[in-house]
Amino acid sequence: MIVCQKFLQHLQLLVTVLLLSWRATFEHSTGTKVGIKCLEKERETLLKFKGELIDESGQLSSWGNEEYKKDCCKWRGVSCDNQTNHIVELDLSGLLLGGNISVSLLEIRHLKYLDLSVNDFNNSIIPQLIGSLGRLQHLDLYDSNFGGEIPHHLGNLSELNFLRLGSYHENLLTSTNLDWLSRLHSLSYLAIISVNLTMATNWLQTITKLTQLISLSLYSCDLPMVLPPSSFNVSNSLFDLTLTGNEFSSSWIFPLVFNLSSNLSFLDLTFNKLQGEIPISLGNMSSLTLLYLSDNQLTGDLPCSALSSSLTTLDLSHNMFNGTMTQCIRNLSKLESLFLFSNNFEDIITESHFFHLSQLQWLDLSSNPGISFNFSLGWNPPFQLTRVSLADCKVGPHFPTWLRTQTRLEYLDISNAEISGTFPDWFWESSPKLSSLNVSHNNFCGVLPNLSLKFSTFDSIDLSFNHFNGSLPILPHNGSVLDLSSNEFFGSITNLCNETSCYWYSLDLSNNLLFGQLPNCFANLPNLKYLNLAHNNFSGKIFSPNICSSLHLQNNSFTGEIPTSLRNCTSLTFIDLSQNKLTGKIPIWVGDTWTKLVFLSLRSNEFFGSIPSNLCHLAHLQVLDFSLNKISGGIPKCLNNFTGMIQVDSEFDVSFNLQYYGGFESAFVTWKGKDAEYINTLKLVKLIDLSSNNLVGDVPVEITSLVMLVGLNLSRNNLSGFLPPNIEQLRSLDFLDFSRNHFSGGIPDGFSQLDQLGVLDLSYNNLSGKIPKSIHLQTFNASAFEGNLGLCGPPLAKACPGDDIAQVPETSDNVDGMKNPEDEDKLINDGFYISMAVGFIFGFWGVCGTLVFNNSWRIAFFKLWNSVMDWLYVKMAISKIRLREAYHKFVKF
Ligand SMILES: *[C@@H]1O[C@H](CO)[C@@H](O)[C@H](O)[C@H]1NC(C)=O
Ligand SMILES: *[C@@H]1O[C@H](CO)[C@@H](O)[C@H](O)[C@H]1NC(C)=O
Ligand SMILES: *[C@@H]1O[C@H](CO)[C@@H](O)[C@H](O)[C@H]1NC(C)=O
Ligand SMILES: *[C@@H]1O[C@H](CO)[C@@H](O)[C@H](O)[C@H]1NC(C)=O
Ligand SMILES: *[C@@H]1O[C@H](CO)[C@@H](O)[C@H](O)[C@H]1NC(C)=O
Ligand SMILES: *[C@@H]1O[C@H](CO)[C@@H](O)[C@H](O)[C@H]1NC(C)=O
Ligand SMILES: *[C@@H]1O[C@H](CO)[C@@H](O)[C@H](O)[C@H]1NC(C)=O
Ligand SMILES: *[C@@H]1O[C@H](CO)[C@@H](O)[C@H](O)[C@H]1NC(C)=O
Ligand SMILES: *[C@@H]1O[C@H](CO)[C@@H](O)[C@H](O)[C@H]1NC(C)=O
């Protein structure tokens, strides 16, 4: 999905910026000391080197000829030996450099360390001359946008200790033969990332010759599963093995891993094609402390003997385990993190299984519908957890009382866990550090206490889809995402916030029984981006936050005009004011200020006046719904300025980048006569609905340039003139309703070419002539054409002059012009609509705690994370183990 890719690009950009700023903070300058003067010859060499680089952002401005820049040992990224004054290090990572690597580099003979990572060499090949820098110990070309075949000359770098090639973002490099690598006998760190090694059938032979390796990553390299060499020495040094994202099968990779090293501590085989049960022999790897086998197709039980008792982290999430787990976890007494989510374990978990797990801090068993819990009421667990997710497991019917003992809890997700009853009061006291709570989709009822006493700050509180009732509790001020939707909260919300102290990003109170006026303070909430008050009975005027980007107020009783205060919402992308009692003209400033708008619905209100033509400035618009109002005048001709309805994925992603907060967007539109909600569906709906107004004049031909339009409803107006002749340009059209106007003339032939059309209604106009013949048009019910006295030919029973008696088509048992009602419903369910936003999270780093992604996102995010992780690992020597934990903290799969 392009949208997702774009989203990730934004994240990538963010990450790059972040890394650069980290870099600035951690910039090292090992040898550079006051008093050291660099060698004149090397200085000139560096200037020649710079001369062939492209440095658009001026990162190398400290490199120069001026007197005060004389000492090249003080130049950015340059380090000299403190005794010989020779340049020994060039660290040019993340400087956005491009251009050519000058051959003059060879004159810096003492260079030991060369880092060109995170630059942009425009898909040029890695210069062979790097292979002649014979003293190099450290070479980093990660994410520098080199492409093509890796030069074998790198094999001359016999002193190389560290080598990193490739990129998580792109797959540009290839190596068809890895012989060169086998000459790098001193390598202890090797990472090859997304390099096409499909043809490198000697890769395994090569790797087994690198006996000094400590850390090996071969990430997503399309490695062929070749026959392992008949004999090789088991390495005792290899400590960290990452073979993520290849297509390895269990039977091939496990025996190999056992032979590669006897000392592995970190093993990551995430995203492979592991199938069947985990082999028992894995248990022989007694030093293994971290094991990541997530995102494979492993099945069966958790085999006890396969899991070393030294494990501290076990990640088997996103597999197909369908047996039991309890026998095993009982013995893993060093376990700190256990991730078994998204499997099909069938098990009853009792307290005895956790008897030895006193170190456990992080437990995620979510999305295992076959897991249930049977703990005694007074159970006092041996562990103190910080993060727990038991979502989509059978936790209920009672609230898990053992949580009372967990005083370090920061994150708790027991959503959709079949729990009912009132929420225990003690819970609000027992975990003072809790900042993320999700109890949604259970059957909780009762009145909530003052939550601001419970949470001084929080990341996210989700109480949605329960039966909480009474008045809305006092909410904590200092937090990000609050979702109390779909409960039975009753009453007014005037005490919801006060002028100074609410910092929410996202507030959802939709689908409750709330009423009364909105508090004034709404206009001042400084951070609010997403506000959903839909489906309540609020009345009075709208107050809106200044910088809101997504506003859902539909189905209330709001009155008055669209307030001018909304004029300050320049980042608004989504506004739904439908089904209220709003009135007045559509403000002219709408077109000038809401320039990022994607969704605009004023449906079913009392708006009047004409459609201002500067509305056409809203180029990103994809849904325009003014139906059921009293709007008069003509349809503006400038509709073809809605490029959002012309492009396939339009600018959606631009406006929906990091502004989107707190959950998935959804919206109601009337679709083929039904109210439909679009949630998390794939394709964007592009829709214009102006039905049931007082519009006059003709349909501007410009409308036919909106080629991605899926629905067009102009019914029940006073429109006249001819039907648009080029209608066949609207190839994506699925729903077309021109009924109950005064259109005249014939039905243009173009109608017969609308192959996607599911619903057509031209009834009750003044159309005349013969209905064009096509396989498609004649399948609609006659009612689609009725009420036009001059029309003739099938599917109408009336024959045209000179024709044979019209044949009534067989499909005439359908109603409302629909071809097949079941198909239509299926279309809606299958996600024909959009996810109006790829709902999502703000703050990226932790404001929200948890992301829920679909599969392709997860993979993309995983890559992204890996690039961050690898960077930190290499640059800052932060242990991979800690980073991997941080990753889990961030993303919930
Ligand atoms: C890089 O080398 C190519 C070919 O020799 C040349 O055309 C180009 O101008 C060089 N670029 C820079 C920035 O020197
Ligand atoms: C020179 O650098 C080495 C290694 O970085 C260091 O051990 C040594 O103390 C330094 N010598 C002087 C004179 O600064
Ligand atoms: C990058 O390479 C492409 C194709 O080789 C070329 O058209 C383009 O000008 C290059 N860009 C820069 C900045 O050198
Ligand atoms: C480096 O390696 C290449 C190819 O592997 C070889 O042709 C070349 O002679 C070597 N150069 C040096 C300076 O050793
Ligand atoms: C890798 O290279 C092989 C052979 O050159 C090619 O067939 C394959 O499509 C490449 N794979 C990718 C992902 O580019
Ligand atoms: C688990 O799945 C495997 C493979 O699909 C199947 O052979 C096995 O019978 C299943 N076991 C149970 C207990 O359902
Ligand atoms: C607003 O909320 C803060 C924090 O709870 C409180 O200290 C302050 O008194 C409140 N102000 C008003 C006017 O209610
Ligand atoms: C819009 O914002 C400006 C500055 O933040 C403020 O002065 C002005 O009163 C706001 N306008 C409305 C209509 O709220
Ligand atoms: C339509 O777009 C064109 C080109 O972007 C612009 O010049 C014109 O002013 C727009 N018209 C309206 C009515 O927005």
Side-chain angles (χ1 to χ4, degrees):
M1 275 170 72
I2 296 191
V3 171
C4 300
Q5 282 165 10
K6 288 282 163 129
F7 167 72
L8 285 161
Q9 276 167 18
H10 288 299
L11 289 191
Q12 258 163 35
L13 200 73
L14 195 79
V15 169
T16 308
V17 171
L18 214 68
L19 291 176
L20 290 180
S21 64
W22 269 331
R23 215 188 101 75
T25 322
F26 287 87
E27 187 107 345
H28 63 214
S29 52
T30 41
T32 314
K33 294 269 154 52
V34 186
I36 294 177
K37 279 274 179 280
C38 86
L39 302 175
E40 181 60 19
K41 188 158 169 277
E42 291 190 349
R43 197 176 65 87
E44 283 165 13
T45 305
L46 278 190
L47 286 176
K48 270 190 231 158
F49 174 68
K50 179 186 173 182
E52 295 193 35
L53 290 175
I54 298 171
D55 176 21
E56 272 171 358
S57 52
Q59 303 283 345
L60 296 183
S61 57
S62 59
W63 295 32
N65 242 331
E66 298 88 335
E67 192 56 34
Y68 70 99
K69 293 179 180 169
K70 263 261 145 52
D71 187 356
C72 70
C73 297
K74 291 183 180 145
W75 291 356
R76 181 165 193 180
V78 180
S79 302
C80 301
D81 184 278
N82 57 8
Q83 281 166 3
T84 66
N85 290 358
H86 281 298
I87 295 171
V88 288
E89 244 186 79
L90 273 182
D91 180 354
L92 304 179
S93 137
L95 302 186
L96 315 173
L97 302 172
N100 300 331
I101 309 283
S102 164
V103 68
S104 63
L105 193 62
L106 292 179
E107 288 163 37
I108 306 188
R109 291 178 205 284
H110 296 266
L111 202 60
K112 287 194 225 161
Y113 183 108
L114 178 60
D115 187 345
L116 298 174
S117 63
V118 196
N119 283 295
D120 184 1
F121 292 100
N122 195 18
N123 206 1
S124 62
I125 58 169
I126 298 174
Q128 296 176 358
L129 65 93
I130 290 181
S132 305
L133 296 166
R135 298 201 183 168
L136 274 192
Q137 295 173 2
H138 182 109
L139 177 60
D140 195 346
L141 302 178
Y142 166 70
D143 202 15
S144 42
N145 213 0
F146 284 115
E149 179 79 18
I150 300 170
H152 296 181
H153 305 72
L154 295 188
N156 295 349
L157 300 171
S158 58
E159 293 182 27
L160 213 55
N161 177 274
F162 176 105
L163 177 62
R164 190 161 64 144
L165 297 167
S167 160
Y168 291 101
H169 310 152
E170 270 159 315
N171 187 346
L172 299 171
L173 288 168
T174 54
S175 188
T176 48
N177 182 340
L178 283 178
D179 271 342
W180 57 273
L181 191 59
S182 59
R183 289 185 274 142
L184 303 179
H185 299 294
S186 314
L187 269 189
S188 59
Y189 178 103
L190 174 63
I192 302 184
I193 303 153
S194 297
V195 173
N196 189 343
L197 299 180
T198 312
M199 308 301 283
T201 48
N202 59 345
W203 72 270
L204 192 50
Q205 231 165 356
T206 306
I207 296 299
T208 53
K209 286 183 188 150
L210 303 174
T211 53
Q212 305 297 310
L213 277 183
I214 293 171
S215 169
L216 172 63
S217 293
L218 298 171
Y219 176 101
S220 196
C221 291
D222 295 312
L223 292 164
M225 288 188 278
V226 291
L227 217 59
S230 52
S231 73
F232 56 88
N233 285 342
V234 176
S235 157
N236 287 319
S237 59
L238 193 62
F239 179 80
D240 163 359
L241 180 60
T242 302
L243 296 172
T244 306
N246 290 290
E247 307 222 314
F248 296 144
S249 68
S250 293
S251 56
W252 188 83
I253 190 64
F254 280 117
L256 179 70
V257 168
F258 305 144
N259 283 335
L260 274 178
S261 171
S262 54
N263 259 336
L264 276 189
S265 169
F266 182 107
L267 176 61
D268 186 346
L269 299 176
T270 305
F271 284 112
N272 274 289
K273 294 229 161 107
L274 309 180
Q275 282 173 324
E277 303 205 352
I278 300 181
I280 302 298
S281 39
L282 194 62
N284 297 339
M285 309 207 80
S286 55
S287 0
L288 207 55
T289 56
L290 290 102
L291 178 59
Y292 297 95
L293 301 177
S294 64
D295 294 274
N296 282 290
Q297 293 145 26
L298 295 165
T299 56
D301 295 329
L302 207 59
C304 302
S305 38
L307 300 174
S308 143
S309 59
S310 51
L311 283 176
T312 61
T313 294
L314 176 60
D315 182 357
L316 302 176
S317 55
H318 273 278
N319 275 287
M320 294 155 68
F321 287 103
N322 55 356
T324 63
M325 50 177 268
T326 44
Q327 288 313 313
C328 261
I329 57 170
R330 194 193 290 274
N331 301 326
L332 301 175
S333 62
K334 301 212 169 119
L335 217 50
E336 293 165 15
S337 303
L338 179 60
F339 308 118
L340 300 178
F341 52 92
S342 295
N343 278 292
N344 282 313
F345 282 113
E346 294 276 345
D347 219 335
I348 299 173
I349 297 180
T350 66
E351 50 204 73
S352 71
H353 300 124
F354 288 108
F355 190 73
H356 297 294
L357 273 64
S358 60
Q359 310 294 311
L360 199 63
Q361 292 172 25
W362 195 336
L363 177 64
D364 194 334
L365 304 177
S366 55
S367 298
N368 277 291
I371 289 186
S372 58
F373 299 85
N374 187 5
F375 296 133
S376 67
L377 268 177
W379 182 43
N380 190 359
F383 47 68
Q384 282 289 339
L385 301 176
T386 55
R387 299 176 71 87
V388 187
S389 180
L390 306 175
D392 308 316
C393 297
K394 287 194 198 86
V395 176
H398 302 297
F399 194 88
T401 48
W402 59 272
L403 285 174
R404 193 170 190 165
T405 62
Q406 301 298 300
T407 57
R408 295 188 204 150
L409 218 51
E410 295 164 14
Y411 174 95
L412 175 65
D413 185 350
I414 44 171
S415 59
N416 193 24
E418 302 179 20
I419 310 174
S420 34
T422 54
F423 210 80
D425 278 340
W426 56 257
F427 178 78
W428 305 112
E429 317 297 331
S430 59
S431 322
K433 293 184 176 161
L434 196 67
S435 74
S436 184
L437 173 67
N438 187 350
V439 302
S440 66
H441 295 272
N442 283 294
N443 281 312
F444 288 117
C445 56
V447 178
L448 288 170
N450 179 344
L451 295 184
S452 74
L453 299 177
K454 162 67 189 165
F455 297 93
S456 53
T457 64
F458 66 95
D459 287 338
S460 119
I461 299 177
D462 188 348
L463 309 178
S464 62
F465 292 92
N466 280 292
H467 302 285
F468 289 117
N469 52 25
S471 57
L472 205 65
I474 298 178
L475 299 171
H477 296 121
N478 232 342
S480 305
V481 178
L482 263 173
D483 189 348
L484 284 76
S485 64
S486 299
N487 278 290
E488 290 156 25
F489 292 113
F490 179 84
S492 99
I493 61 165
T494 42
N495 294 326
L496 188 69
C497 51
N498 72 25
E499 315 255 326
T500 50
S501 58
C502 290
Y503 296 98
W504 308 316
Y505 282 85
S506 165
L507 178 64
D508 192 342
L509 302 177
S510 61
N511 280 302
N512 278 292
L513 305 168
L514 300 167
F515 56 79
Q517 306 214 344
L518 299 188
N520 284 345
C521 61
F522 263 21
N524 300 327
L525 295 177
N527 293 340
L528 202 61
K529 296 275 190 253
Y530 175 97
L531 176 62
N532 193 341
L533 303 176
H535 308 290
N536 282 289
N537 200 14
F538 290 115
S539 56
K541 295 200 168 177
I542 296 172
F543 287 99
S544 159
N546 280 334
I547 48 168
C548 175
S549 62
S550 181
L551 190 57
H552 305 244
L553 302 177
Q554 70 271 25
N555 198 5
N556 280 287
S557 301
F558 287 114
T559 52
E561 304 190 356
I562 297 180
T564 48
S565 63
L566 277 176
R567 205 169 171 162
N568 275 358
C569 281
T570 51
S571 52
L572 204 64
T573 47
F574 190 110
I575 183 165
D576 191 343
L577 301 177
S578 62
Q579 292 171 280
N580 279 290
K581 295 175 181 152
L582 297 167
T583 182
K585 292 186 171 181
I586 298 165
I588 293 181
W589 51 259
V590 163
D592 298 324
T593 47
W594 293 346
T595 51
K596 295 178 178 169
L597 209 60
V598 173
F599 185 104
L600 172 59
S601 177
L602 305 180
R603 192 170 105 77
S604 191
N605 278 287
E606 286 156 25
F607 289 107
F608 55 83
S610 59
I611 301 176
S613 68
N614 62 353
L615 209 66
C616 299
H617 295 161
L618 304 178
H620 304 310
L621 210 59
Q622 295 181 180
V623 172
L624 174 66
D625 188 347
F626 288 169
S627 61
L628 290 158
N629 279 287
K630 295 174 181 152
I631 295 169
S632 53
I635 301 175
K637 289 200 190 313
C638 55
L639 288 176
N640 53 348
N641 273 22
F642 293 146
T643 44
M645 302 184 189
I646 297 173
Q647 294 159 358
V648 179
D649 272 284
S650 63
E651 299 296 320
F652 172 81
D653 44 288
V654 176
S655 44
F656 277 68
N657 57 27
L658 292 175
Q659 303 158 8
Y660 263 72
Y661 298 92
F664 289 82
E665 292 279 14
S666 62
F668 288 86
V669 290
T670 302
W671 185 248
K672 302 177 184 177
K674 296 176 192 168
D675 280 352
E677 184 174 10
Y678 7 73
I679 308 171
N680 189 22
T681 45
L682 298 174
K683 201 173 159 182
L684 284 173
V685 158
K686 318 211 171 182
L687 171 74
I688 293 180
D689 189 344
L690 303 176
S691 63
S692 301
N693 280 291
N694 300 323
L695 294 170
V696 294
D698 49 15
V699 181
V701 289
E702 285 80 4
I703 213 164
T704 56
S705 52
L706 304 179
V707 292
M708 295 308 292
L709 210 57
V710 173
L712 177 59
N713 189 350
L714 303 178
S715 65
R716 294 168 199 265
N717 280 290
N718 290 318
L719 296 167
S720 55
F722 298 138
L723 295 179
N726 299 331
I727 195 97
E728 72 275 10
Q729 290 177 18
L730 300 180
R731 288 243 161 247
S732 315
L733 215 53
D734 183 23
F735 170 45
L736 180 61
D737 191 347
F738 283 169
S739 66
R740 293 177 197 268
N741 282 287
H742 309 293
F743 292 115
S744 55
I747 298 177
D749 276 341
F751 276 77
S752 61
Q753 296 169 37
L754 295 173
D755 300 334
Q756 304 294 319
L757 211 54
V759 174
L760 173 68
D761 196 346
L762 299 177
S763 63
Y764 298 97
N765 281 291
N766 297 328
L767 298 171
S768 56
K770 186 173 175 178
I771 297 172
K773 256 207 159 71
S774 79
I775 302 168
H776 204 67
L777 273 189
Q778 271 67 34
T779 63
F780 291 105
N781 193 305
S783 65
F785 302 96
E786 73 187 12
N788 290 285
L789 289 178
L791 276 185
C792 59
L796 290 175
K798 180 179 167 192
C800 295
D803 273 7
D804 298 339
I805 293 162
Q807 307 251 304
V808 178
E810 286 163 25
T811 49
S812 61
D813 52 341
N814 286 341
V815 287
D816 296 340
M818 281 200 187
K819 284 186 305 173
N820 182 345
E822 272 171 29
D823 274 359
E824 304 309 316
D825 280 351
K826 191 162 177 296
L827 213 54
I828 289 168
N829 295 334
D830 278 359
F832 186 66
Y833 303 115
I834 37 172
S835 116
M836 203 54 196
V838 236
F840 101 75
I841 323 300
F842 53 97
F844 192 60
W845 299 100
V847 193
C848 191
T850 296
L851 305 188
V852 184
F853 284 167
N854 71 24
N855 237 13
S856 59
W857 279 51
R858 277 188 332 99
I859 294 167
F861 189 85
F862 186 77
K863 284 189 186 176
L864 183 68
W865 180 266
N866 268 286
S867 61
V868 177
M869 179 167 117
D870 223 34
W871 180 291
L872 293 172
Y873 179 53
V874 171
K875 292 285 163 188
M876 263 156 254
I878 297 179
S879 101
K880 223 173 199 177
I881 292 161
R882 296 225 344 254
L883 289 165
R884 207 50 210 269
E885 304 280 306
Y887 171 71
H888 276 281
K889 200 169 278 189
F890 192 63
V891 179
K892 176 196 166 87
F893 286 120

